[in-house]
Amino acid sequence: KQEVTQIPAALSVPEGENLVLNCSFTDSAIYNLQWFRQDPGKGLTSLLLIQSSQREQTSGRLNASLDKSSGRSTLYIAASQPGDSATYLCAVSPDYGQNFVFGPGTRLSVLP
Amino acid sequence: DGGITQSPKYLFRKEGQNVTLSCEQNLNHDAMYWYRQDPGQGLRLIYYSQIVNDFQKGDIAEGYSVSREKKESFPLTVTSAQKNPTAFYLCASTGGDTGELFFGEGSRLTVL
């Protein structure tokens, strides 16, 4: 059974720092890995999707990498801002249209 | 704008009552999902549907029921058999070329 973990559980950094969030999964037979952002009391917003054949995806200050063989993904946030404060979750799916398994999330606080 | 609409945003229920949460999408996605989120826990899958008139139980289906009569709609009923229904409920869908997962804004159910 697929299990997804995220380290650290919480992170507090001063504004302007570059940071890395980690996601690990136990079964490397994945179709997609997706990173989400969740603000308190809100739904999840998709940040980046990495398909199994890809190694990384970039969007603005965000870069996500995928190493399927080691079961790891990282989300790199450059020049962090207070508006980046949120919970970040990663999720993997075994095939197109199949259920996504979620990690518990990393709660990020960026201090002004 | 394409998206997923969940209603109501907040719902209060007395013990012993059934309630139905609505989920509508106009993304033309085939697969739809219901997740439950509790404080300090990750998302857990309740039910999912990959096609009209078909759905599968997730990890925590007991006390819940769903229907999928139309592609756009995937309502969730929380029955009186659900022992601890107070939670944040999230509806999602996947489709398109990549199978990217999109979420609605969520419905918060409180049992009084």
Side-chain angles (χ1 to χ4, degrees), chain B residues 44-71:
Chain B
R44 292 183 290 169
L45 181 69
I46 305 172
Y47 270 97
Y48 70 103
S49 167
Q50 293 178 298
I51 198 168
V52 174
N53 292 324
D54 188 43
F55 46 83
Q56 286 79 42
K57 293 182 179 180
D59 300 321
I60 56 166
E62 186 175 350
Y64 300 97
S65 66
V66 294
S67 63
R68 187 85 187 277
E69 297 177 1
K70 299 187 299 181
K71 187 176 184 178

Side-chain angles (χ1 to χ4, degrees), chain A residues 1 31-32 34 36 38 41-49 51 89 91 93 96-104, chain B residues 9 31 33 35 37 41-43 45 48 50 59 88 90 94-106 108:
Chain A
K1 183 181 175 185
Y31 182 81
N32 279 341
Q34 199 166 345
F36 297 87
Q38 186 177 30
K42 301 288 189 182
L44 279 67
T45 299
S46 178
L47 296 174
L48 289 165
L49 172 75
Q51 295 183 279
L89 299 99
S93 71
Y96 183 96
Q98 293 291 316
N99 173 43
F100 280 72
V101 178
F102 282 81
Chain B
K9 283 192 95 167
Y33 311 80
Y35 292 92
Q37 189 176 37
Q41 295 195 34
L43 274 70
L45 181 69
Y48 70 103
Q50 293 178 298
D59 300 321
F88 190 49
L90 289 156
T94 61
D97 294 336
T98 62
E100 186 172 358
L101 186 65
F102 293 93
F103 279 86
E105 282 293 301
R108 185 168 299 280

Side-chain angles (χ1 to χ4, degrees), chain B residues 2-77:
Chain B
I4 301 173
T5 301
Q6 290 188 239
S7 62
K9 283 192 95 167
Y10 301 95
L11 186 60
F12 297 90
R13 184 193 99 173
K14 293 182 180 178
E15 283 193 14
Q17 289 181 333
N18 293 352
V19 293
T20 297
L21 308 181
S22 170
C23 178
E24 302 278 333
Q25 55 100 357
N26 61 4
L27 299 167
N28 199 33
H29 285 173
D30 288 313
M32 297 185 73
Y33 311 80
W34 276 105
Y35 292 92
R36 170 179 172 144
Q37 189 176 37
D38 295 284
Q41 295 195 34
L43 274 70
R44 292 183 290 169
L45 181 69
I46 305 172
Y47 270 97
Y48 70 103
S49 167
Q50 293 178 298
I51 198 168
V52 174
N53 292 324
D54 188 43
F55 46 83
Q56 286 79 42
K57 293 182 179 180
D59 300 321
I60 56 166
E62 186 175 350
Y64 300 97
S65 66
V66 294
S67 63
R68 187 85 187 277
E69 297 177 1
K70 299 187 299 181
K71 187 176 184 178
E72 303 79 17
S73 179
F74 192 40
L76 173 74
T77 297

